Amino acid sequence: MTGTIFVTKLVAFVSGVSALVAPGSLHGISARTGVHASPTSLEINKPNITSKWIDGSNLVQIIEVYINNTDPKNYLTEADDLSVTVQSQFLDTVVPGTLKRLGPRQAGIVQIGVKNKRNIRPGTQCTGKVVAKYGSGKNRKQATQATSGTCGFADFVATEKSVNSHVAPDWFNDLKYGIFIHWGPYSVPAYGSVGANENYAEWYWKWMQDPNDKTQTYQYHLKTYGKEVNYDDFFANFSDKGFNPREWVDLFSDAGAQYFVPTTKHHDGFALFNFSTAISKRSSIHYGPKRDIIKDLFAAAKKYQPQLRLGTYFSMPEWFNPAFKKYGFSAWPGGPAHNPYTGEELPYTGFVEVEDFVKDIQLPQMRTLANEYGIDIMWCDITTKGNNATIFTSEWMNSARKSKRQVTFNDRCGIPGDFSTPEYETNEDTVTHKWEASRGMDPHSYGYNAQTPDSAYLTGGEIVKTLVDMVSKNGNFLLDIGPTGNGSIPQIMQTNLRDAGKWIKSHGESIFKTRFWTVKPGSDPFRYTTAKDAFYIHHIGKPPSSLAVKDPVPYLPGDKVTVVGGKQNGKKVPVSWDGVGSLKLSLGDDVISGDEYVWTFKIQYA
């Protein structure tokens, strides 16, 4: 990971929605009674012909649109039979879009499935009209909006314009929660200082170069190992004695995670996977465990936990690779390392002379991960001025599509990417562009830091609360663990992951395959998530017996409200309602005592 902890709050927004509810603005509007009245008007905003298709389909392309209910009083309900289609000389609608509930002055995201007409070749620039029909009988109304874009799936080409049109597939948005793993030779010294002076332990080699660095790694190394011990000497002590691939993936499953992303190569250039010896021998194949760690870990996942999606972290630069010197910058200078105590120039263990770092090392290694390890996610780190990101991503996406696989990559490969990646930080509000925040269970480090006391690690409750908060804002949570130098996962990490996993599995329907509410993520202590036929209310912390929900959640009389998860899962909750923004839940002692961390309630639309 990068060498500083980002604390800047990212700008948050909900784009493309012209008529969102301001908190409290609808208080006092009475409920509709008697005959159902449809909204007087709907608006269609920002239709987007996307690069993704409906999972499991024969490449049925997805068009996404925002549907705005501009009516100040009436709800859109299932009785309105909303049907959103596309009229076009280029496209046929295969799967119409719909919504079962939309509150007054609220917006929802609808997906339409389309296929090119028989005479339209994939990749054609096309136009059309999105049509939303709703209401019943003679009162049926419609709204329209023009759209244009690329119809069908032509091959990507190695240009930024082409690859930047790619968006994260729906499965990535469905999964929400993954496990990050930082394990390498830096796990042997396992030092990043403590408290205010702590920083990323996986940066040990870099910190030890600077006697003035706050971690005091320079001083620690000299005192603990002496000036003659160099970083590459840790390779011999990096072992797999405690590494059990099945136990790892079983833990990820117990934690409730849906995908995992191991470090395949960090900034020290030491790789945990196999590739051509013509470009490098600096890996776990030739040193330390003498084993293909990534291959064995992925094999265990496919055999024992096949539901887990596979990702790979890959550092684009290497701190001290001599071949990287022509691309070097700031903390990644390239060129040979030196012993910080004697000034001696050091050999780069496993180095093979190549003509160009990007062309001969970086790109071939990325191709190997994509083509031979069957990954779903490429998680790059550290954008460099030298990269072949457009070549790699275009090749990978084209190859994956031929086997009807949708893949995704982050924003650190040298191009904008499918999702942004704040680290040790989250967003204060909803961000509609997909994002995934990462942090370690350790308060300041991704790699294992032996100095960190057990009490400082994220608890199960903190993991759950963080996950709920991020999901309500359109984020995924990538939570990192740092195994020790022999591949064992510290017991405190296992205990806290499994503790969180009990809650996550019990409440999974309110987390996985949900989407953010376009109105707001929630006013503290509330957070909200939505599904096609339900709305979820999350209360962070123990709720009172009379729980007032003042946000304009889309409840209507006749809806059923139930407990999600915990000991009272499925129990019906008595409610009262006097109009938008006035929902009250009456909670018995059994409901209050029947859960922990976050209490969740489901509004099942009638």
Side-chain angles (χ1 to χ4, degrees), residues 160 316-317 323-330 332-334 356-359 362 381-390 412-415:
E160 288 198 20
M316 303 289 278
F324 188 69
K325 188 171 184 178
K326 67 179 282 189
Y327 298 105
F329 65 100
S330 60
W332 292 266
D356 181 82
F357 177 85
V358 170
K359 178 173 65 73
Q362 184 191 92
D381 198 14
I382 312 301
T383 298
T384 66
K385 63 182 180 181
N387 68 76
N388 283 141
T390 58
R412 304 188 188 192
C413 297
I415 48 181

mmCIF file of all heavy atoms in Angstrom, residues 160 316-317 323-330 332-334 356-359 362 381-390 412-415:
data_model
loop_
_atom_site.group_PDB
_atom_site.id
_atom_site.type_symbol
_atom_site.label_atom_id
_atom_site.label_comp_id
_atom_site.label_asym_id
_atom_site.label_seq_id
_atom_site.Cartn_x
_atom_site.Cartn_y
_atom_site.Cartn_z
ATOM 1 N N GLU A 160 -7.085 4.863 -23.879
ATOM 2 C CA GLU A 160 -7.778 5.243 -22.650
ATOM 3 C C GLU A 160 -9.268 5.426 -22.898
ATOM 4 O O GLU A 160 -10.097 5.057 -22.063
ATOM 5 C CB GLU A 160 -7.160 6.518 -22.067
ATOM 6 C CG GLU A 160 -5.785 6.297 -21.462
ATOM 7 C CD GLU A 160 -5.376 7.420 -20.527
ATOM 8 O OE1 GLU A 160 -6.258 8.163 -20.057
ATOM 9 O OE2 GLU A 160 -4.168 7.537 -20.264
ATOM 10 N N MET A 316 2.706 -1.978 -9.100
ATOM 11 C CA MET A 316 3.211 -1.620 -10.427
ATOM 12 C C MET A 316 4.720 -1.332 -10.411
ATOM 13 O O MET A 316 5.447 -1.810 -11.273
ATOM 14 C CB MET A 316 2.439 -0.414 -10.964
ATOM 15 C CG MET A 316 0.927 -0.617 -11.049
ATOM 16 S SD MET A 316 0.436 -1.763 -12.338
ATOM 17 C CE MET A 316 0.472 -0.674 -13.769
ATOM 18 N N PRO A 317 5.235 -0.558 -9.440
ATOM 19 C CA PRO A 317 6.683 -0.329 -9.388
ATOM 20 C C PRO A 317 7.361 -1.258 -8.384
ATOM 21 O O PRO A 317 6.702 -1.958 -7.608
ATOM 22 C CB PRO A 317 6.772 1.124 -8.915
ATOM 23 C CG PRO A 317 5.598 1.270 -7.992
ATOM 24 C CD PRO A 317 4.513 0.368 -8.542
ATOM 25 N N ALA A 323 16.114 -2.213 -13.022
ATOM 26 C CA ALA A 323 15.455 -1.959 -14.302
ATOM 27 C C ALA A 323 14.395 -0.868 -14.199
ATOM 28 O O ALA A 323 13.962 -0.324 -15.219
ATOM 29 C CB ALA A 323 14.823 -3.249 -14.827
ATOM 30 N N PHE A 324 13.972 -0.545 -12.974
ATOM 31 C CA PHE A 324 12.926 0.472 -12.806
ATOM 32 C C PHE A 324 13.501 1.886 -12.734
ATOM 33 O O PHE A 324 12.753 2.863 -12.721
ATOM 34 C CB PHE A 324 12.102 0.184 -11.543
ATOM 35 C CG PHE A 324 10.895 1.070 -11.385
ATOM 36 C CD1 PHE A 324 9.811 0.949 -12.246
ATOM 37 C CD2 PHE A 324 10.849 2.045 -10.404
ATOM 38 C CE1 PHE A 324 8.702 1.778 -12.123
ATOM 39 C CE2 PHE A 324 9.747 2.878 -10.269
ATOM 40 C CZ PHE A 324 8.665 2.744 -11.134
ATOM 41 N N LYS A 325 14.804 2.022 -12.728
ATOM 42 C CA LYS A 325 15.415 3.330 -12.503
ATOM 43 C C LYS A 325 14.953 4.373 -13.513
ATOM 44 O O LYS A 325 14.717 5.537 -13.162
ATOM 45 C CB LYS A 325 16.939 3.210 -12.533
ATOM 46 C CG LYS A 325 17.645 4.492 -12.117
ATOM 47 C CD LYS A 325 19.139 4.281 -11.949
ATOM 48 C CE LYS A 325 19.794 5.554 -11.428
ATOM 49 N NZ LYS A 325 21.248 5.370 -11.199
ATOM 50 N N LYS A 326 14.778 4.014 -14.768
ATOM 51 C CA LYS A 326 14.366 4.988 -15.788
ATOM 52 C C LYS A 326 12.961 5.522 -15.539
ATOM 53 O O LYS A 326 12.593 6.573 -16.043
ATOM 54 C CB LYS A 326 14.452 4.373 -17.187
ATOM 55 C CG LYS A 326 13.474 3.255 -17.455
ATOM 56 C CD LYS A 326 13.601 2.702 -18.876
ATOM 57 C CE LYS A 326 12.943 3.609 -19.884
ATOM 58 N NZ LYS A 326 12.860 2.984 -21.233
ATOM 59 N N TYR A 327 12.167 4.776 -14.748
ATOM 60 C CA TYR A 327 10.808 5.215 -14.429
ATOM 61 C C TYR A 327 10.695 5.742 -12.997
ATOM 62 O O TYR A 327 9.608 6.105 -12.550
ATOM 63 C CB TYR A 327 9.827 4.048 -14.587
ATOM 64 C CG TYR A 327 9.747 3.485 -15.984
ATOM 65 C CD1 TYR A 327 10.348 2.268 -16.300
ATOM 66 C CD2 TYR A 327 9.074 4.170 -16.985
ATOM 67 C CE1 TYR A 327 10.271 1.742 -17.582
ATOM 68 C CE2 TYR A 327 8.994 3.655 -18.272
ATOM 69 C CZ TYR A 327 9.597 2.441 -18.563
ATOM 70 O OH TYR A 327 9.515 1.938 -19.836
ATOM 71 N N GLY A 328 11.795 5.767 -12.263
ATOM 72 C CA GLY A 328 11.765 6.064 -10.841
ATOM 73 C C GLY A 328 11.191 7.429 -10.495
ATOM 74 O O GLY A 328 11.295 8.389 -11.263
ATOM 75 N N PHE A 329 10.584 7.509 -9.315
ATOM 76 C CA PHE A 329 10.020 8.765 -8.824
ATOM 77 C C PHE A 329 9.887 8.687 -7.309
ATOM 78 O O PHE A 329 9.694 7.621 -6.738
ATOM 79 C CB PHE A 329 8.652 9.040 -9.461
ATOM 80 C CG PHE A 329 7.591 8.035 -9.094
ATOM 81 C CD1 PHE A 329 6.648 8.317 -8.110
ATOM 82 C CD2 PHE A 329 7.538 6.785 -9.716
ATOM 83 C CE1 PHE A 329 5.677 7.393 -7.763
ATOM 84 C CE2 PHE A 329 6.567 5.859 -9.379
ATOM 85 C CZ PHE A 329 5.632 6.158 -8.399
ATOM 86 N N SER A 330 9.988 9.788 -6.638
ATOM 87 C CA SER A 330 9.807 9.975 -5.192
ATOM 88 C C SER A 330 10.210 8.734 -4.395
ATOM 89 O O SER A 330 11.379 8.378 -4.347
ATOM 90 C CB SER A 330 8.358 10.400 -4.889
ATOM 91 O OG SER A 330 7.429 9.440 -5.320
ATOM 92 N N TRP A 332 9.776 5.689 -4.969
ATOM 93 C CA TRP A 332 10.086 4.521 -5.795
ATOM 94 C C TRP A 332 11.200 4.905 -6.780
ATOM 95 O O TRP A 332 10.964 5.078 -7.973
ATOM 96 C CB TRP A 332 8.839 4.051 -6.549
ATOM 97 C CG TRP A 332 7.800 3.484 -5.642
ATOM 98 C CD1 TRP A 332 7.618 2.180 -5.308
ATOM 99 C CD2 TRP A 332 6.795 4.212 -4.928
ATOM 100 N NE1 TRP A 332 6.575 2.046 -4.425
ATOM 101 C CE2 TRP A 332 6.048 3.281 -4.177
ATOM 102 C CE3 TRP A 332 6.461 5.558 -4.840
ATOM 103 C CZ2 TRP A 332 4.989 3.655 -3.358
ATOM 104 C CZ3 TRP A 332 5.408 5.938 -4.020
ATOM 105 C CH2 TRP A 332 4.684 4.987 -3.292
ATOM 106 N N PRO A 333 12.434 5.025 -6.293
ATOM 107 C CA PRO A 333 13.505 5.567 -7.136
ATOM 108 C C PRO A 333 14.031 4.593 -8.182
ATOM 109 O O PRO A 333 14.604 5.017 -9.185
ATOM 110 C CB PRO A 333 14.594 5.908 -6.123
ATOM 111 C CG PRO A 333 14.383 4.920 -5.010
ATOM 112 C CD PRO A 333 12.892 4.743 -4.923
ATOM 113 N N GLY A 334 13.838 3.278 -7.944
ATOM 114 C CA GLY A 334 14.483 2.312 -8.818
ATOM 115 C C GLY A 334 15.985 2.332 -8.588
ATOM 116 O O GLY A 334 16.499 3.038 -7.710
ATOM 117 N N ASP A 356 13.567 -3.508 -20.615
ATOM 118 C CA ASP A 356 12.647 -2.472 -20.137
ATOM 119 C C ASP A 356 11.754 -3.045 -19.039
ATOM 120 O O ASP A 356 11.121 -4.092 -19.225
ATOM 121 C CB ASP A 356 11.786 -1.955 -21.293
ATOM 122 C CG ASP A 356 10.834 -0.856 -20.860
ATOM 123 O OD1 ASP A 356 11.272 0.302 -20.773
ATOM 124 O OD2 ASP A 356 9.654 -1.169 -20.588
ATOM 125 N N PHE A 357 11.678 -2.364 -17.888
ATOM 126 C CA PHE A 357 10.907 -2.857 -16.740
ATOM 127 C C PHE A 357 9.433 -3.039 -17.083
ATOM 128 O O PHE A 357 8.832 -4.077 -16.782
ATOM 129 C CB PHE A 357 11.046 -1.885 -15.565
ATOM 130 C CG PHE A 357 10.223 -2.271 -14.361
ATOM 131 C CD1 PHE A 357 10.718 -3.168 -13.431
ATOM 132 C CD2 PHE A 357 8.952 -1.749 -14.159
ATOM 133 C CE1 PHE A 357 9.959 -3.544 -12.327
ATOM 134 C CE2 PHE A 357 8.186 -2.109 -13.069
ATOM 135 C CZ PHE A 357 8.694 -3.014 -12.140
ATOM 136 N N VAL A 358 8.821 -2.035 -17.697
ATOM 137 C CA VAL A 358 7.390 -2.086 -17.976
ATOM 138 C C VAL A 358 7.061 -3.173 -18.987
ATOM 139 O O VAL A 358 6.156 -3.990 -18.784
ATOM 140 C CB VAL A 358 6.887 -0.713 -18.466
ATOM 141 C CG1 VAL A 358 5.457 -0.818 -18.987
ATOM 142 C CG2 VAL A 358 6.968 0.307 -17.341
ATOM 143 N N LYS A 359 7.792 -3.202 -20.060
ATOM 144 C CA LYS A 359 7.509 -4.142 -21.149
ATOM 145 C C LYS A 359 7.915 -5.572 -20.804
ATOM 146 O O LYS A 359 7.221 -6.528 -21.170
ATOM 147 C CB LYS A 359 8.234 -3.685 -22.420
ATOM 148 C CG LYS A 359 8.066 -4.597 -23.629
ATOM 149 C CD LYS A 359 8.664 -3.984 -24.880
ATOM 150 C CE LYS A 359 10.177 -3.822 -24.776
ATOM 151 N NZ LYS A 359 10.881 -5.142 -24.878
ATOM 152 N N GLN A 362 6.765 -5.856 -15.741
ATOM 153 C CA GLN A 362 5.434 -5.484 -15.248
ATOM 154 C C GLN A 362 4.313 -6.096 -16.085
ATOM 155 O O GLN A 362 3.421 -6.777 -15.552
ATOM 156 C CB GLN A 362 5.311 -3.958 -15.232
ATOM 157 C CG GLN A 362 4.012 -3.425 -14.663
ATOM 158 C CD GLN A 362 3.870 -1.930 -14.924
ATOM 159 O OE1 GLN A 362 3.290 -1.511 -15.919
ATOM 160 N NE2 GLN A 362 4.419 -1.123 -14.024
ATOM 161 N N ASP A 381 -1.492 -1.280 -7.497
ATOM 162 C CA ASP A 381 -1.110 -0.254 -6.530
ATOM 163 C C ASP A 381 0.019 0.590 -7.104
ATOM 164 O O ASP A 381 0.943 0.070 -7.732
ATOM 165 C CB ASP A 381 -0.660 -0.891 -5.215
ATOM 166 C CG ASP A 381 -0.670 0.107 -4.056
ATOM 167 O OD1 ASP A 381 -1.266 1.192 -4.212
ATOM 168 O OD2 ASP A 381 -0.104 -0.211 -2.998
ATOM 169 N N ILE A 382 -0.083 1.876 -6.897
ATOM 170 C CA ILE A 382 0.904 2.890 -7.261
ATOM 171 C C ILE A 382 0.961 3.088 -8.774
ATOM 172 O O ILE A 382 1.676 2.388 -9.502
ATOM 173 C CB ILE A 382 2.311 2.567 -6.721
ATOM 174 C CG1 ILE A 382 2.250 2.195 -5.247
ATOM 175 C CG2 ILE A 382 3.232 3.756 -6.963
ATOM 176 C CD1 ILE A 382 1.662 3.249 -4.336
ATOM 177 N N THR A 383 0.199 4.050 -9.233
ATOM 178 C CA THR A 383 0.246 4.422 -10.638
ATOM 179 C C THR A 383 1.617 4.993 -10.971
ATOM 180 O O THR A 383 2.132 5.855 -10.262
ATOM 181 C CB THR A 383 -0.829 5.474 -10.949
ATOM 182 O OG1 THR A 383 -2.113 4.901 -10.688
ATOM 183 C CG2 THR A 383 -0.760 5.909 -12.401
ATOM 184 N N THR A 384 2.224 4.509 -12.024
ATOM 185 C CA THR A 384 3.532 5.006 -12.439
ATOM 186 C C THR A 384 3.427 5.652 -13.811
ATOM 187 O O THR A 384 2.513 5.359 -14.592
ATOM 188 C CB THR A 384 4.556 3.860 -12.510
ATOM 189 O OG1 THR A 384 4.176 2.963 -13.558
ATOM 190 C CG2 THR A 384 4.618 3.098 -11.199
ATOM 191 N N LYS A 385 4.391 6.518 -14.111
ATOM 192 C CA LYS A 385 4.393 7.139 -15.438
ATOM 193 C C LYS A 385 4.705 6.104 -16.508
ATOM 194 O O LYS A 385 4.388 6.298 -17.677
ATOM 195 C CB LYS A 385 5.403 8.278 -15.482
ATOM 196 C CG LYS A 385 6.858 7.856 -15.273
ATOM 197 C CD LYS A 385 7.789 9.057 -15.294
ATOM 198 C CE LYS A 385 9.248 8.656 -15.079
ATOM 199 N NZ LYS A 385 10.150 9.821 -15.064
ATOM 200 N N GLY A 386 5.311 5.011 -16.089
ATOM 201 C CA GLY A 386 5.549 3.918 -17.013
ATOM 202 C C GLY A 386 4.579 2.788 -16.740
ATOM 203 O O GLY A 386 4.615 2.176 -15.673
ATOM 204 N N ASN A 387 3.676 2.511 -17.665
ATOM 205 C CA ASN A 387 2.774 1.369 -17.516
ATOM 206 C C ASN A 387 2.176 1.034 -18.873
ATOM 207 O O ASN A 387 2.176 1.852 -19.789
ATOM 208 C CB ASN A 387 1.669 1.661 -16.496
ATOM 209 C CG ASN A 387 0.687 2.717 -16.947
ATOM 210 O OD1 ASN A 387 -0.180 2.457 -17.785
ATOM 211 N ND2 ASN A 387 0.826 3.935 -16.412
ATOM 212 N N ASN A 388 1.686 -0.173 -18.975
ATOM 213 C CA ASN A 388 0.976 -0.613 -20.173
ATOM 214 C C ASN A 388 -0.452 -0.987 -19.806
ATOM 215 O O ASN A 388 -0.984 -2.015 -20.228
ATOM 216 C CB ASN A 388 1.682 -1.811 -20.818
ATOM 217 C CG ASN A 388 2.927 -1.422 -21.594
ATOM 218 O OD1 ASN A 388 3.929 -2.106 -21.566
ATOM 219 N ND2 ASN A 388 2.864 -0.298 -22.304
ATOM 220 N N ALA A 389 -1.082 -0.133 -18.992
ATOM 221 C CA ALA A 389 -2.404 -0.443 -18.458
ATOM 222 C C ALA A 389 -3.446 -0.630 -19.552
ATOM 223 O O ALA A 389 -4.299 -1.516 -19.460
ATOM 224 C CB ALA A 389 -2.846 0.655 -17.492
ATOM 225 N N THR A 390 -3.406 0.201 -20.586
ATOM 226 C CA THR A 390 -4.423 0.067 -21.636
ATOM 227 C C THR A 390 -4.241 -1.234 -22.413
ATOM 228 O O THR A 390 -5.221 -1.858 -22.829
ATOM 229 C CB THR A 390 -4.369 1.259 -22.604
ATOM 230 O OG1 THR A 390 -3.069 1.355 -23.184
ATOM 231 C CG2 THR A 390 -4.713 2.557 -21.888
ATOM 232 N N ARG A 412 -5.783 2.223 -9.755
ATOM 233 C CA ARG A 412 -4.350 2.433 -9.527
ATOM 234 C C ARG A 412 -3.475 1.733 -10.564
ATOM 235 O O ARG A 412 -2.282 1.533 -10.330
ATOM 236 C CB ARG A 412 -3.965 1.942 -8.126
ATOM 237 C CG ARG A 412 -4.774 2.575 -7.006
ATOM 238 C CD ARG A 412 -4.216 2.210 -5.650
ATOM 239 N NE ARG A 412 -5.078 2.653 -4.562
ATOM 240 C CZ ARG A 412 -4.726 2.669 -3.284
ATOM 241 N NH1 ARG A 412 -3.515 2.276 -2.927
ATOM 242 N NH2 ARG A 412 -5.568 3.073 -2.354
ATOM 243 N N CYS A 413 -4.064 1.359 -11.688
ATOM 244 C CA CYS A 413 -3.301 0.661 -12.726
ATOM 245 C C CYS A 413 -2.671 1.621 -13.731
ATOM 246 O O CYS A 413 -1.927 1.192 -14.611
ATOM 247 C CB CYS A 413 -4.202 -0.325 -13.470
ATOM 248 S SG CYS A 413 -4.877 -1.658 -12.451
ATOM 249 N N GLY A 414 -3.000 2.915 -13.613
ATOM 250 C CA GLY A 414 -2.497 3.895 -14.568
ATOM 251 C C GLY A 414 -3.598 4.524 -15.397
ATOM 252 O O GLY A 414 -3.344 5.403 -16.221
ATOM 253 N N ILE A 415 -4.839 4.068 -15.183
ATOM 254 C CA ILE A 415 -6.031 4.606 -15.832
ATOM 255 C C ILE A 415 -7.119 4.714 -14.763
ATOM 256 O O ILE A 415 -6.975 4.144 -13.674
ATOM 257 C CB ILE A 415 -6.491 3.709 -17.005
ATOM 258 C CG1 ILE A 415 -6.535 2.243 -16.573
ATOM 259 C CG2 ILE A 415 -5.571 3.874 -18.202
ATOM 260 C CD1 ILE A 415 -6.952 1.285 -17.663
#
